[in-house]
Amino acid sequence: MDPKTICVRAPWFRTELEARAHPEWADLPLAVYRPRSRHRELLEVSPSATRAGLTAGMPFKEAQIRCPEAVFVPDDPPKYEQAFLRILDLLDRFSPVVEDAGPGLAFIDATGLEPLYGPDLELCRKVQTTIKEETGHRVHVGLAGSRFAAEIAARTAGTAGVAATLETDATYLAKLPLEMLPLPEKATTQLSLLGVRDLGKFARLPANTVRAKYGEEGRAAQKLAAGRDDRPLKPRSRPLVFEEKVEFEWDEHDLDRITFALQALADRLARRLEIRGLMACRMQAQIIRTDQSRQTFTLDLPEPSTQARTFRDVVRWRLDAAETTAVRPEPGSIEATLESEPGISTIRIEVAELVPFEGKATNLFANRAERIQRANRAISRLRVALGEEVVFRSALHPGERAPERAFARIDAYVPESGKTRRKKSGQGAGEERKKVNVSEIPQGTGKGRRTTKVAEPPLPAERYAAGSGGSLRLFDPPLAATLLSDRTGDRTGDRTGDRTGERIRFDGRHEAIVGRYGPHRLRSGWWETPLIRDYYRVLLAGGDGLLVYHEPPSDRWFVQGVVD
Amino acid sequence: MTTAGGDITGGGEPQYAELHAHTNFSFLDGASHPEEMAAQAAELGLAALAVTDHDGVYGAVRLAHAARAHGLKSIVGMEITLAGDRHLTLLARDRTGYASICRLSTEAHRDRLKGEPELSPDTLAAHTTGLVALSGCRQGEIPAAALAGDLDRAVSLATAHAALFEPGCFFLELQNHLQEEDLITGNALLEVAARTGLPVVATNNVHYHLPRRRRLQDVLTCIKHTETLSTAGRKLRPNAEFHLKSAAAMAALFSGLPEALRNTLRIADMCDFDLSCKLEYGLPAATVPDGRTEYAYVEELVWESVRTLYDLVTTEVRERVQRELAYTRQNNLAGYFLTVRDIVQYCHSSDILVNTRGSAPGSILCYALGISMVEPLSAGLLFERFMSSNRVEPPDIDLDIEHQERERVIQYVYQRYGREHAAMVANVISYRGRSAIRDVGKALGLPLAQIERLAKILSWSHGHGIGVELDELDEIPSEIPNRVATDLIALSNEIQNFPRHLGIHSGGMIISSLPLAESVPIEPATMEDRTIVQWDKDDCSYAGLIKIDLLGLGMMTLIHRAFRLIEARHGQRLTLAGFTFDDPAVYDAACEADTLGVFQIESRAQIATLPRTRPRNFYDLVVEIAIIRPGPMSTKMHRRWILRRLGQEPITYLFPSLEPVLKRTLGLPIFQEQCMQMAMAVAGFSAAKADALRQAMSRKRSLQHIQSLRDDLIAGMTANGVPEAVREEIYTQIEGYAGYGFPEAHSCAFALLVYVSVWLKVHYHAEFTCAILNSQPMGFYHAHTLIGDAQRHGVTVHPVDIRHSRYECTIEADGAVRVGYRYVEGLGDAYREVLDREIESGPYSSLEDFCRRTRLPANILETLAVAGAFDGFDRERRDALWRIHAYSPAQFGDELPGLAAALEEDANLRPAGKMVQARMDFASTGHSTTYRGMEFHRPALSAAGVLTADGLKSLAEKVREQKQQSPRQDHPYPTIPTPPPARERVLAPVASDSDNPPARDSIGAPRHRPRDSQTRSQTADALHNALTGDREFTASEPPPADAAIPHSVRARARTGVRVKVAGLVINRQRPSTAAGFTFLTLEDETGLVNIIINPRTFARHKRLILDEPVLMVAGELEDEDGALHVMAHRLSMPGPAHIKAPPSNDWG
């Protein structure tokens, strides 16, 4: 029986996923790019982006210029890999040997499937139709004797999107252009000069010379051109699933009882992980209500762990937070679930991300490690309880002069133990956390007023006695203030001279000024949003120190911060 | 100039001298020109202004001169960088202090990477004489300690620093830019002052003259740190307080510290060194025999030489020599002449061809000392242009040296005079349109692709402001916000002419007897073994440093190479001095514009002019060179001169007194000297003032300089009774030279090279071709075009062949040119020795023999295979390319001979077709000796009625005949003057049998006197005859003129004949003098075609014109007295590109 291989290629897999997740992008050209490569090349482009002149491999900047209206999404391999599992599962229905070649590409061993699914082309159509119907993804399907030929068939499948070779792979490939081969550009150019422009001619060249001229890579390519693809399909491995669940026989609302059940699940999960030498770094919890509606949420652990207590706690915190939150829950949310009928019938917890056990037990080491561990736990609890928003890292923004914006928020919080490597579930492939370039961070620190502690520059003690040794608490946004003359009650301007008798009113306070020092002039940001401020140090009669500024264009005063 | 001194309120108003100011010569850390700084300081009424650029005195001369012009006292200073990137401000009190600054700057740059100077404490300590030092900005060591709150350290540092300098010469520097840190630092420094007793002084660390320049300063900071404005953050200064401030403003900032301002005046009084005066640096000393003085030795040499050179030493000669000697003695220039003579003699002894250019040919001393080849009297060259008693500046001698040998001469000078006494002049690399757009665009954060797009638009534009061009062309991409576009344009215009970094002048060297580093700092250049001074040629000249230009000239290399080839093959030894300038064949070639590859008259503009000007003697060439220059062209002198030469415009003079000045140039000013003479004749200018006019014409931004003399010129002319309209016209003619024109002597020196190069091309075209191919890169044309031209003249050019080729191109026994390995892609100079050695040691017996002996790497062997270099071993290119790997050293190593052949495997490849061969030629060597490129388009082009270059000529001739036979009244076309009989030789193959040298007389003999029989007097006679034709010195007789043509030249040239042509674009030009017209040169398999594109057509087809390597042009044939053009109406691509065309020479 001749071997047969099917290639399933989803050329718009990533962009289709993104478009589905963001319906507002439906009419826009869409492209996924490699965020960490030097030129951030496009990895995949949607059909509309192709029509707009974008192509895979195009540098990001060039693409932006060519099609400014396009939406560019950074590649997110775990997300796409996870999503592609659905297609792989479907392919499992057709053949026991399915190879996962990365998001959007799979091979299946089609040898002997004819009696089950009919002729080759019919099989290809069935695969295509099944995927389309079950997932909505458009795929190209190619069938040939080997995986290379099958992939070429899928790539050249045309509008129908299916192709099956009717001849031997060698014959099928012979007339195809040399560019189809994975050859270095230099070799392709030289072969073109030699008049070798199709795979057939390349396949007929003396093998030894090909190896000598183009190395093993060239020889391997020549074999492919000859229809000899020796690479066997690698059946995909089933991911390890660490999942535990409990089904209640009643509608459960009581958190304590739920926690008790959770403890049992967590214990079992921890034991299984320990046996496998694995640690969990992310959990997924699912609750199923008695009306069969489901709610799933993902929970980051403070650090990779095998401890049942940790697993139990993160889930409980989440449920606890929902119960204690002062905000009225949104319909359909976890909180609403807990408060409304029907109650919970099933709880399922699953490890969403795994890493190999590193032999590291931070609590065995010195106090610092313990402190870090505690801090991490606290932060994790805060995040789980109050949401991602409340905990973030900040860094001095290199491009900002305005004090209230000088500290930029870095969204991704990474526990201080720092060496955490998030591994792809079930595969162990390393994936470092994204390093955030603070220059790319959007300005502002969110809604409402926040204060941030910053180091205070040295001050001459005799002039800024109140500020000495203290630290400046910044207001974001700065507080509007009014400077008044004690004698006349008039608003004072940005004039120099005697400050005796000045008062300041801000944030409901109204105090006399005993000293105002400045101005320290700030004129920045002329290229986008001009920052025109004259800063003053102000000493209040009560002994507090303030940092205030006058904005000449609007002639307004603001309190930037107080010295604690 | 001294300040009021003492009380800062002298007379009630506060007074202040700014002692810490950076100009834009701090290179990307200063946003105002020195001239702007000086003007603003004067406007503000400052008592003095010190320029303290980083680590040098780059802008000091300019500031000193500008300050002098504004009546402002200038102080030379420098902010030196100490170890740890700490700054210290130094000011020169006197000449000794200035020498200390120069020495310290030199030492700071010595052995350091470019742009990273650093001075060691020991070196600083060794050179503090005559200096005043200030503790520096916040980056200074003392202020930094003060800011950090380490008062003890600040006190100890201040004490140590003060001890380095003379008593009372160290000050603590206070600054207040309305920043909190300044306040903290200032308070701490006051504490240090109290504890050490050191005086304090206020400065403002100025970086721009006006607050509005702060934006540019920010942009420059971004450029310096390769940041954008959004990311630069704290690298940018927080406010705009770093501008020049008035005394009142400074007094307000330092209201509690009047002594800090008073001390600025005290220091200004201490500093009494003015760099606007000439520096006494000592001319180079020469070796003089027997204890004679330099002058006595020069005098002896000159008279001895004059007696040899002139058969009869006439009174005119004697008087001229005496006058020049007197001037030499008076100005102590004997040593200078001897130094130049020494360099020339070194060139002669080293077999390096040398000639002089510029004004030096106007000196009989230069001629007598062997520096110049041109006899000045017979050429009517002015000595005053070279040097005069009224000249403020010393004379300038420029030597043209073979460009491939110039480095030897430069290194000789370094070796002969020492690095302490010789250095090259710097070239200040300044921002121009493209570089400005690029750097400002990057700073504004625009994407690179957009920046490149904008920069490219400017590549063909010159002259007016950037905004105007971009707006006119509507080229700002819509995705760039208006605000950013406005900033981009404004800042790009502001940054124009800002210095970016120092380069090396093309050949200027300063040689001194005293250590040069005490007159101007010396720093290493990026190029190995080169050191440069910190000033450009103008600043050197202002400071009185005499420059000797050692200029590399490709044409000198070509001529010398051709001389050697001719001597080797024909036994004829040629020298530059041996030409008689009377060979009609040379002038025939020039008349036919058959000048591709020759000196100066090969450009498109020259080729378009020559058929009309029809030069018939040497002086015609002198004029021809001078008229196609921006100066004469901007005032349309070249067109009027042509009309006058053709008799189509009467020869008149704007004012009777101009006749003697302009007679020999048909009443029009062509040369720089004539402008001087005109000013003297009509405006009563003295020689000194006329010399000032010359200087103005020679300098950068000459227009402004000339305009500054306008009032004097007009007043002088009015006084001499010149009518108002004529005054304006004369002034306009003079002003036109701001765009650059040639001195007559310079043109004369160049004409000599023009004549020689045309002579070589006419009589020894194979040698000429071989020499020019070996002298590349040079000139206007790519090797492919030059080879095509040679082939059209019957020269056989063979491609690279391993059996015959050397590294350089050679002449083979049959007279054919053999292309050398130097043209093979990737085969660099490193393989030259082995390739030449092996071929000398015997022919290669086989491919394997070649590979084994040369051991070239596989990639080069492959390129040779692609180039067809193995064809001679019966290896078809594809076959050779396939098999060659077997012979690479990596494959067969040191195995036994014969083994490699066994590794070959037959691939049964189909031989390469013609088009593939052409592609292979271009890919491997950049040119083809077999294919021109356009022949592959020809069938389709012929079918579309597209003419070849030859076809166009034939058509033009037919049109001419028809016009002559039936002139149409409604579209009058002039009768073309009958051209001299066409030289059959031009199109016939040059006889090249080395055993039977061609009878030169039969083809227009190369009348070159053998060296042995030649004396300088003969040369002088020959030149005299050539220049004057034994008559009064004038241009040759104009050709017979037709009746005066009432139509404009353009209208006259129109034929009304529509044509289509196509070819590889080899040249794109859009000169600023051409009113927006663009000129292309296309090359097809039969020759060149000139295309003219008007601005409207250009706008329609801009992308095609700018980007496409092959173009088809439909338009109207124009025939200006034999100079053919196609006035383009429509442009298109003739089809897909078959070959990768050689790069075109654009916008040059």
Side-chain angles (χ1 to χ4, degrees), chain B residues 993-1074:
Chain B
D993 186 345
S994 60
D995 294 332
N996 300 298
R1000 292 284 162 205
D1001 284 338
S1002 64
I1003 59 164
R1007 297 188 195 170
H1008 181 275
R1009 291 191 178 96
R1011 197 181 195 185
D1012 296 343
S1013 63
Q1014 176 189 310
T1015 64
R1016 298 299 292 268
S1017 59
Q1018 284 170 323
T1019 309
D1021 291 345
L1023 181 62
H1024 182 79
N1025 292 337
L1027 288 166
T1028 64
D1030 291 330
R1031 290 175 298 165
E1032 188 182 357
F1033 187 79
T1034 179
S1036 67
E1037 201 67 45
D1042 301 306
I1045 305 297
H1047 299 275
S1048 73
V1049 174
R1050 174 65 56 217
R1052 222 168 39 78
R1054 293 183 62 180
T1055 62
V1057 178
R1058 299 292 176 101
V1059 293
K1060 284 187 209 164
V1061 290
L1064 307 178
V1065 183
I1066 60 170
N1067 193 290
R1068 295 174 175 91
Q1069 286 186 316
R1070 199 174 196 241
S1072 54
T1073 49

Side-chain angles (χ1 to χ4, degrees), chain B residues 796-815:
Chain B
T796 306
V797 184
H798 294 308
V800 179
D801 186 331
I802 61 163
R803 296 171 307 159
H804 307 292
S805 286
R806 264 62 170 178
Y807 184 79
E808 300 281 11
C809 303
T810 47
I811 302 281
E812 302 207 323
D814 61 355

Side-chain angles (χ1 to χ4, degrees), chain B residues 941-1023:
Chain B
L941 293 176
S942 298
V946 177
L947 294 174
T948 61
D950 270 353
L952 195 72
K953 280 182 199 157
S954 306
L955 178 69
E957 276 168 24
K958 280 182 196 163
V959 171
R960 260 179 244 153
E961 283 167 17
Q962 283 175 7
K963 295 276 181 185
Q964 282 171 345
Q965 283 162 12
S966 56
R968 283 166 54 185
Q969 292 304 312
D970 58 335
H971 188 80
Y973 190 85
T975 307
I976 304 295
T978 312
R983 293 169 302 127
E984 290 173 9
R985 175 201 47 73
V986 171
L987 296 175
V990 173
S992 55
D993 186 345
S994 60
D995 294 332
N996 300 298
R1000 292 284 162 205
D1001 284 338
S1002 64
I1003 59 164
R1007 297 188 195 170
H1008 181 275
R1009 291 191 178 96
R1011 197 181 195 185
D1012 296 343
S1013 63
Q1014 176 189 310
T1015 64
R1016 298 299 292 268
S1017 59
Q1018 284 170 323
T1019 309
D1021 291 345
L1023 181 62

